[in-house]
Amino acid sequence: MTRPVSAALRHLPGIALSLALTAGAAAAQASGPSGTLTVGWRWDPGTMDAQMHRQRYTQIISHAMRDKFYYLPPPGLAVGPLLAAGLTQVDATTYDLAIRQGVKFHNGDELTSEDVVYTYARLFDPATASPRARMGNMGNIAAVTALDRYTVRFTTAVPFGPPDEAVIGLNFTAQEVLHKASTSTQTMDEARTAGPIGVGPFRFVEWLPDQRVVMEAFPDYWQGAPGVERIIWRTIPEEATRVAELLAGSVDMIHPVTPDFVGQLRAAGMTLEIVPGSAMRMLMMNVREGSPFADPEVRRAMNMAVDKRAITEFIYGGLALPFDQITGAGQDGYIEGYAPFSYDPEAARAVLSKVTKPIELFVQEQWQLAAEAIAEQLRGYGMNVITVVVDSATHNQINEAGTFDLMFGGAGYGTGEFVGAYYNNHFECVRLTNNRIRTGFCDPALDAKYAAARAEPDRAARLTLLHEIVRDLTEVHMPWVPLYGEAEVWAMQPRVKGFRGSSAGQFFDLHKVTLEP
């Protein structure tokens, strides 16, 4: 399955896509695992349970040890198979998934349909209380049954369209497969802390929370033995410390890297991997009664009030792309050249100068600088706006509860989808009954159009419906002010070969990475 690459992505300043392993890296990989790759990054995974999180960084750790059915081969958002040998549509709501034969778990067991059925049974078990069970369209999976040792039937409550679209809608790019024999004997706490048995390129060695995760190569990995013998993931929250350790040679790779350090790292001879990101940064406005943003004219003025191009240029140094619509560049449904609102301070001031209620702009620390710049612009129109910096857990809690007027938020579209987790999490009415209030926006008519797009087998007709939804959300309902999408940046020692950055911000294809002596 492929989607066209957005022209906006192709011309993003300062961004280049790396396309292949070097011959030297491929040769080194063929000689067997060698060396230790030490990664310095800002996070701790928080759990080893692949079904008890909603964080990208936790999934990065999980995916290094467990594979999915499909993934997004770097650098872009096109979908490629992993454990899936194929997907066949039986009827409008029935799909048969064939899994690869001969794939081995880390303990030598073969992956079978029993493991797949167990994975979903545990995911949807109320006793598990998995936060992933309601991601995107997961709630519309009605049944998962084994047809034979290597074929699994998925029955859905609603049509998911042709197989290439259903791969995304069924979240086949998001859910790793569990090992039934080991996981089924564990308590929830044991699953959180125990080393998982997976079918991925690396197997678990140790996890010291807030310090490091250690993995070793799995020589019988179905795609071939990894190029490095060991990976150490070190939790280093401060970016300046990560940079210093990379320059000192204490770590081999760091992520994320902000524009503040790109020049220094490049001058020091570090290798930079820079790809367009797949996350929307936006101002989320509470549209419910009692909020200043319940008035659509205020929301319209907000969409003309922020100089987002100045933010991407002066704060991000060109390593971000201004967004003018509810979809991000490269996302399914993105409309090339569509920008219904221009930066118009005078038009914005005419409306926003009448907003007298004090407003708190909630933001996480990593986006504080951009939020402060926006708040200063809004104060220039006479609004009483202050930024309130909160940690990620508090930010998520406020977001889900809808207890805010204005929030600096983010929405990832790492699968490139629109009719899935993206629309479901932010706009679909059903989320309100699942206590995901967010902006409080809901329109049953849009939901009906969304359902029609999800089921539409014709790609062109489906895209027409998506464009209608995007235009309606962007310039009619306007629950957001689209801001920008940041580039994903990694920095590494020159001896690290074969790493390709992912637009989804993932560490995919780690088995292809090698280290020169």
Side-chain angles (χ1 to χ4, degrees):
M1 174 182 175
T2 59
R3 294 188 177 93
V5 176
S6 165
L9 286 181
R10 288 195 297 266
H11 300 298
L12 184 55
I15 288 181
L17 304 181
S18 58
L19 299 177
L21 285 169
T22 65
Q29 185 177 351
S31 64
S34 177
T36 296
L37 175 70
T38 302
V39 179
W41 65 344
R42 63 175 297 174
W43 303 285
D44 176 82
T47 182
M48 290 293 120
D49 192 330
Q51 295 181 335
M52 294 305 293
H53 72 92
R54 290 282 292 267
Q55 290 81 32
R56 178 180 70 175
Y57 49 86
T58 305
Q59 190 165 44
I60 287 170
I61 292 293
S62 181
H63 180 69
M65 297 182 286
R66 307 175 176 101
D67 270 349
K68 312 167 189 175
F69 299 121
Y70 293 84
Y71 82 128
L72 309 172
L77 299 179
V79 175
L82 278 177
L83 297 178
L87 183 67
T88 303
Q89 185 174 14
V90 179
D91 57 40
T93 57
T94 308
Y95 301 87
D96 289 348
L97 177 73
I99 60 176
R100 293 183 184 273
Q101 300 183 24
V103 174
K104 298 294 184 181
F105 282 97
H106 297 158
N107 70 342
D109 291 348
E110 185 185 18
L111 169 68
T112 71
S113 57
E114 284 193 14
D115 298 292
V116 177
V117 171
Y118 170 76
T119 296
Y120 285 89
R122 183 180 187 269
L123 178 71
F124 295 129
D125 186 344
T128 303
S130 170
R132 302 185 70 78
R134 64 183 189 181
M135 284 181 62
N137 289 305
M138 296 289 274
N140 286 319
I141 297 177
V144 182
T145 55
L147 298 185
D148 57 42
R149 186 173 177 83
Y150 304 109
T151 310
V152 181
R153 172 160 290 178
F154 287 79
T155 305
T156 63
V158 297
F160 273 63
D164 61 346
E165 300 295 344
V167 163
I168 300 297
L170 288 162
N171 275 43
F172 283 163
T173 60
Q175 181 56 59
E176 298 91 348
V177 178
L178 306 181
H179 180 240
K180 177 183 178 181
S182 61
T183 312
S184 61
T185 65
Q186 296 172 335
T187 65
M188 292 301 296
D189 191 60
E190 287 171 340
R192 182 183 68 83
T193 58
I197 295 175
V199 295
F202 294 90
R203 53 192 177 192
F204 179 86
V205 174
E206 70 171 356
W207 171 36
L208 298 178
D210 297 316
Q211 295 184 52
R212 66 178 179 269
V213 177
V214 182
M215 306 171 182
E216 65 182 8
F218 177 43
D220 294 326
Y221 180 52
W222 64 274
Q223 293 196 83
V228 298
E229 188 173 8
R230 177 169 286 219
I231 300 182
I232 300 175
W233 305 79
R234 287 184 51 200
T235 301
I236 307 174
E238 295 296 327
E239 183 178 17
T241 305
R242 293 196 300 271
V243 169
E245 294 223 23
L246 180 67
L247 296 176
S250 303
V251 299
D252 300 297
M253 177 188 296
I254 60 173
H255 179 77
V257 177
T258 66
D260 292 343
F261 292 95
V262 166
Q264 178 186 359
L265 290 166
R266 183 174 282 132
M270 297 296 110
T271 299
L272 294 177
E273 180 75 358
I274 305 174
V275 298
S278 58
M280 163 80 71
R281 304 297 168 206
M282 81 296 264
L283 293 181
M284 302 174 68
M285 297 175 286
N286 196 320
V287 306
R288 292 179 297 169
E289 200 64 37
S291 169
F293 305 108
D295 183 349
E297 288 308 307
V298 173
R299 301 200 298 274
R300 185 178 304 276
M302 287 287 288
N303 271 278
M304 296 182 283
V306 179
D307 189 352
K308 60 191 76 173
R309 280 156 182 80
I311 291 173
T312 59
E313 180 180 354
F314 295 110
I315 294 180
Y316 287 92
L319 293 178
L321 182 72
F323 285 166
D324 296 304
Q325 55 189 280
I326 218 83
T327 44
Q331 187 178 12
D332 204 18
Y334 182 79
I335 305 172
E336 292 284 357
Y338 173 57
F341 300 109
S342 59
Y343 175 51
D344 190 339
E346 294 309 312
R349 181 176 290 106
V351 176
L352 299 182
S353 62
K354 301 174 185 177
V355 178
T356 59
K357 177 183 177 180
I359 295 171
E360 295 179 321
L361 170 55
F362 292 97
V363 64
Q364 295 183 52
E365 183 178 7
Q366 66 200 92
W367 297 294
Q368 180 180 358
L369 187 59
E372 293 281 10
I374 291 169
E376 182 63 26
Q377 290 184 47
L378 296 178
R379 286 192 291 268
Y381 302 124
M383 297 179 73
N384 184 2
V385 180
I386 62 168
T387 57
V388 179
V389 181
V390 295
D391 60 35
S392 60
T394 303
H395 189 275
N396 290 338
Q397 181 182 13
I398 294 171
N399 191 9
E400 297 290 270
T403 52
F404 65 89
D405 286 320
L406 190 62
M407 174 172 283
F408 190 105
Y413 55 95
T415 60
E417 67 179 348
F418 184 80
V419 288
Y422 194 84
Y423 184 91
N424 173 270
N425 284 338
H426 297 285
F427 310 117
E428 192 174 14
C429 293
V430 69
R431 84 190 189 287
L432 299 180
T433 64
N434 293 332
N435 295 318
R436 287 177 288 154
I437 307 301
R438 305 199 173 190
T439 64
F441 170 78
C442 170
D443 182 359
L446 268 191
D447 282 2
K449 189 171 291 188
Y450 159 75
R454 183 178 56 206
E456 176 55 59
D458 181 76
R459 172 73 180 169
R462 183 174 182 273
L463 199 57
T464 296
L465 288 170
L466 289 183
H467 286 172
E468 291 176 5
I469 295 172
V470 168
R471 291 179 187 276
D472 192 293
L473 287 169
T474 302
E475 61 178 308
V476 178
H477 290 296
M478 304 164 293
W480 293 354
V481 177
L483 295 174
Y484 58 84
E486 302 151 89
E488 295 284 350
V489 183
W490 294 257
M492 64 204 81
Q493 301 286 345
R495 74 189 192 105
V496 178
K497 302 297 181 182
F499 177 78
R500 298 170 65 192
S502 161
S503 288
Q506 293 277 351
F507 284 69
F508 290 139
D509 288 345
L510 281 175
H511 64 287
K512 297 179 179 179
V513 174
T514 61
L515 298 172
E516 289 186 344

